[in-house]
Amino acid sequence: MHSIPGRRLIMGLFLVFLLLPIYWLVNMSFKTNSEIVSTMTLWPHTPTLQHYKRIFTDESWYSGYINSLTYVVLNTIISISVALPAAYAFSRYRFLGDKHLFFWLLSNRMAPAAVYALPFFNLYSAIGLFDTPWAVALAHCIFNVPLAVWILEGFVSGVPREIDETAFLDGYSFPRFFIKILVPLIASGIGVAAFFCFMFSWVELLLARTLTSVHAKPIAAIMTRTVSAAGMDWGLLAAAGVLTIIPGALVIWFVRNYIARGFALGRV
Amino acid sequence: MDKTVNQKAWFLVLPVFLVVAFSAVLPLMTVVNYSMQDTFGNNQFFWNGVGWFKELLDPSTDLGGRFLASLGRNLFFSLVILAIEVPLGIVVALSMPREGWTVAACLVILALPLLIPWNVVGTIWQIFGRPDIGLLGYALNAIGFDYNYVSNDVDAWVTVIVMDVWHWTSLVALLCYAGLKSIPEAYYQAAQIDGASRWAVFKAIQLPKMNRVLLIAVLLRFMDSFMIYTEPFVVTGGGPGNSTTFVSIELVKIALGQFDLGKAAALSLVYNLIILIVCWIFYTVMTNAGAERAVKEGAA
């Protein structure tokens, strides 16, 4: 009654459609370049780890991963720490302009990155943060802070009010209540919010590329630049791509039930 | 749940306000400033009033022609991917296994494309679609299609659309699945007693229950596809010619390629305004739905 006839077939075909391009990327990352260019093989006949080895030993490659991780982690920490108190405020209190503020946050989450590319470039150059991880971390706050507020607000609303009231009656000060009681209660929510901040900052390229030039260049930018300049090193490109998928693939199991919620800003 | 009025809550919101204002208001003010001026380099600016905006909306000028063409392409793109992804997403959600480990496995695989960096999504399809080294391009050419997304407009469009379907249909499916799961078992039992057909169950029970998540899915997909930049940029670079140049790609070309600050700023503002309107609809829909639900729960 719940599902439709032929559902196994439909699901199977769709999953194959999703996995096939990813398989091709993985497949290619284990092939030698001569095998890629000369023959069409469905699996690597002469499997090699040379591309991965090159990425892990060549500083211009692995520094990209370090740069990316640096600004992503910075951004996640900033976003979650400013969003937590705000989520509590939105969940518990009514105050002047709260609805407008909530909408304004949402509108920033939806603003096209292309619009901000140029003004961010000017702004961060003017304050001397250009080409540092801080520039990208702060720039990504524009979409991650609203996201974190929206997701956390949902989780805070799930905590009964009586808990706050009891804590205050027991003589907890606000900061102490917040850290000792509220944060542990919504720990899973913080995990989910952190995961989404991490993910959205990790997948973004346009701002990250615009705000860095040499020292803080993210892996995504290195992939687009180096490869086209050095001719097409397909195997290396594929290996670099596979490595960027890994952080998401590692944690996906833990957040599988929250994916829809995160993308719908905590509203599902 | 009643919220108490407490103006001191502003202190809790202040950090968020400051961080987002720093990243949003300051840059937006620069954009407004630039949009009224013209520059010939060397930081010399000249007042241009609403000149850029007039040009932007006039298809006979270079700027207006480019903007309106890319806007048209973008709207067409958004409509096509919505027309494919929404029905497909519903079908996939209805095809989800009911219980057991396969549910988790399906969820994980469905979510996988959503978590891949956007430029890597581009790279994946760039490689997958190439006639010489990609499985898709090779297979299509082997069975007799003359497929080449680098030189043929239609092929480039098909590639970009299939890529987006690959990338985002899962989101629609996961949202619909979340909506479907919230339907109580009793509804299905009642339908069975009434002898309702499969189609009747879908129309009378499942679709109405998915209404809200579907609306969220449509609006999210519309906004995201309207801002699409990285994936087509990596695969086609906006080409062949200008055939897959969407608004964001055009904007970045003008702003960071030609450093035409005034034109880029004017385009940014109009672009942002369109997004803002859609966003407002989105917000109204979600808060109204939230209020309705609260009323229902209060009554129950």
Side-chain angles (χ1 to χ4, degrees):
Chain A
M1 219 54 194
H2 296 246
S3 27
I4 49 179
R7 68 187 161 90
R8 291 224 172 80
L9 184 69
I10 296 172
M11 201 65 196
L13 284 177
F14 190 69
L15 294 184
V16 169
F17 169 62
L18 291 188
L19 287 176
L20 211 52
I22 300 178
Y23 167 72
W24 199 249
L25 188 78
V26 176
N27 171 21
M28 198 165 265
S29 71
F30 289 111
K31 288 181 182 175
T32 58
N33 274 322
S34 59
E35 186 181 346
I36 292 172
V37 179
S38 61
T39 49
M40 176 54 69
T41 45
L42 292 179
W43 64 89
H45 289 268
T46 48
T48 168
L49 286 173
Q50 66 179 66
H51 306 302
Y52 290 98
K53 212 170 125 197
R54 164 104 190 266
I55 290 173
F56 284 116
T57 52
D58 185 344
E59 206 217 325
S60 68
W61 275 98
Y62 69 76
S63 69
Y65 287 97
I66 298 173
N67 293 337
S68 288
L69 281 174
T70 312
Y71 71 71
V72 167
V73 170
L74 277 177
N75 169 270
T76 306
I77 295 171
I78 299 173
S79 302
I80 297 291
S81 45
V82 298
L84 261 174
Y88 181 79
F90 279 121
S91 153
R92 292 290 196 260
Y93 301 121
R94 221 177 303 148
F95 48 93
L96 194 67
D98 54 353
K99 289 196 178 114
H100 298 97
L101 195 61
F102 219 47
F103 173 66
W104 177 64
L105 287 177
L106 173 72
S107 73
N108 284 316
R109 166 71 184 78
M110 298 299 173
V115 168
Y116 287 98
L118 182 68
F120 274 168
F121 177 79
N122 285 345
L123 177 68
Y124 289 108
S125 301
I127 57 175
L129 284 179
F130 180 72
D131 202 18
T132 64
W134 286 99
V136 187
L138 285 171
H140 283 181
C141 278
I142 196 171
F143 50 82
N144 270 349
V145 167
L147 177 81
V149 172
W150 280 65
I151 295 179
L152 288 172
E153 194 258 351
F155 280 95
V156 176
S157 295
V159 176
R161 268 197 116 117
E162 288 72 28
I163 291 186
D164 310 20
E165 283 155 15
T166 324
F168 291 135
L169 283 179
D170 286 348
Y172 275 79
S173 66
F174 184 75
R176 214 170 133 231
F177 153 75
F178 209 85
I179 293 164
K180 288 264 167 181
I181 296 180
L182 189 73
V183 168
L185 275 176
I186 56 165
S188 63
I190 295 177
V192 172
F195 167 76
F196 277 101
C197 288
F198 187 94
M199 224 54 244
F200 281 110
S201 181
W202 182 251
V203 299
E204 207 277 338
L205 168 71
L206 179 56
L207 290 176
R209 198 185 55 175
T210 311
L211 293 177
T212 55
S213 62
V214 184
H215 301 295
K217 202 154 79 166
I219 181 63
I222 292 176
M223 280 179 69
T224 55
R225 286 182 195 167
T226 319
V227 172
S228 51
M232 275 300 180
D233 192 343
W234 293 111
L236 194 59
L237 180 68
V242 170
L243 288 176
T244 64
I245 301 178
I246 288 176
L250 280 182
V251 279
I252 198 168
W253 178 262
F254 302 103
V255 292
R256 64 183 185 281
N257 293 321
Y258 295 103
I259 299 276
R261 194 171 188 172
F263 277 93
L265 300 153
R267 298 294 112 166
V268 169
Chain B
M1 187 161 62
D2 273 337
K3 295 181 186 177
T4 43
V5 178
N6 183 350
Q7 302 302 347
K8 273 191 245 162
W10 258 101
F11 287 110
L12 296 174
V13 185
L14 201 62
V16 162
F17 181 76
L18 290 178
V19 168
V20 179
F22 176 75
S23 307
V25 179
L26 277 182
L28 213 55
M29 272 159 42
T30 357
V31 175
V32 174
N33 185 20
Y34 282 146
S35 72
M36 305 282 182
Q37 303 185 58
D38 195 1
T39 172
F40 299 106
N42 299 328
N43 268 332
Q44 285 180 297
F45 286 94
F46 301 92
W47 177 250
N48 192 22
V50 293
W52 293 129
F53 293 95
K54 275 189 187 155
E55 219 176 282
L56 198 63
L57 299 175
D58 179 3
S60 60
T61 60
D62 172 55
L63 177 65
R66 282 166 69 182
F67 169 63
L68 293 172
S70 64
L71 186 67
R73 270 180 231 125
N74 216 151
L75 285 174
F76 179 69
F77 173 74
S78 296
L79 289 181
V80 171
I81 60 113
L82 278 178
I84 300 174
E85 286 175 15
V86 171
L88 185 62
I90 295 176
V91 169
V92 170
L94 288 170
S95 306
M96 279 292 284
R98 282 184 58 189
E99 53 208 359
W101 63 273
T102 43
V103 181
C106 284
L107 284 178
V108 165
I109 299 176
L110 281 179
L112 200 55
L114 300 173
L115 307 180
I116 296 177
W118 297 341
N119 70 307
V120 178
V121 171
T123 307
I124 287 176
W125 281 88
Q126 186 190 21
I127 291 177
F128 195 57
R130 275 180 72 100
D132 51 347
I133 61 169
L135 185 62
L136 176 72
Y138 186 83
L140 281 177
N141 279 294
I143 57 173
F145 289 101
D146 184 21
Y147 167 87
N148 187 339
Y149 68 80
V150 181
S151 59
N152 184 309
D153 291 3
V154 179
D155 292 349
W157 265 89
V158 170
T159 311
V160 171
I161 287 170
V162 172
M163 173 173 68
D164 201 82
V165 169
W166 179 84
H167 192 184
W168 291 110
T169 304
S170 299
L171 176 63
V172 182
L174 289 170
L175 284 168
C176 290
Y177 179 65
L180 282 174
K181 267 208 319 197
S182 69
I183 303 177
E185 191 60 36
Y187 283 46
Y188 291 111
Q189 287 162 359
Q192 207 162 15
I193 291 167
D194 291 346
S197 68
R198 178 74 205 104
W199 174 246
V201 170
F202 176 71
K203 235 177 65 179
I205 300 175
Q206 290 173 324
L207 200 57
K209 276 283 174 183
M210 278 194 294
N211 244 344
R212 198 171 75 94
V213 281
L214 266 183
L215 208 56
I216 293 179
V218 168
L219 287 164
L220 276 178
R221 281 313 303 133
F222 177 77
M223 276 186 286
D224 286 344
S225 63
F226 198 64
M227 300 188 281
I228 192 164
Y229 172 82
T230 312
E231 301 96 312
F233 178 75
V234 172
V235 176
T236 65
N242 275 330
S243 58
T244 52
T245 301
F246 300 121
V247 183
S248 272
I249 297 180
E250 193 70 81
L251 175 56
V252 172
K253 255 189 213 168
I254 297 174
L256 297 170
Q258 310 168 345
F259 255 88
D260 238 329
L261 303 186
K263 290 179 186 178
L267 207 169
S268 296
L269 283 182
V270 175
Y271 191 17
N272 226 353
L273 198 67
I274 300 174
I275 296 279
L276 203 64
I277 293 169
V278 183
C279 200
W280 185 77
I281 301 173
F282 182 82
Y283 178 77
T284 318
V285 165
M286 290 211 302
T287 43
N288 281 353
E292 261 172 45
R293 201 170 43 169
V295 168
K296 269 184 206 159
E297 276 165 14

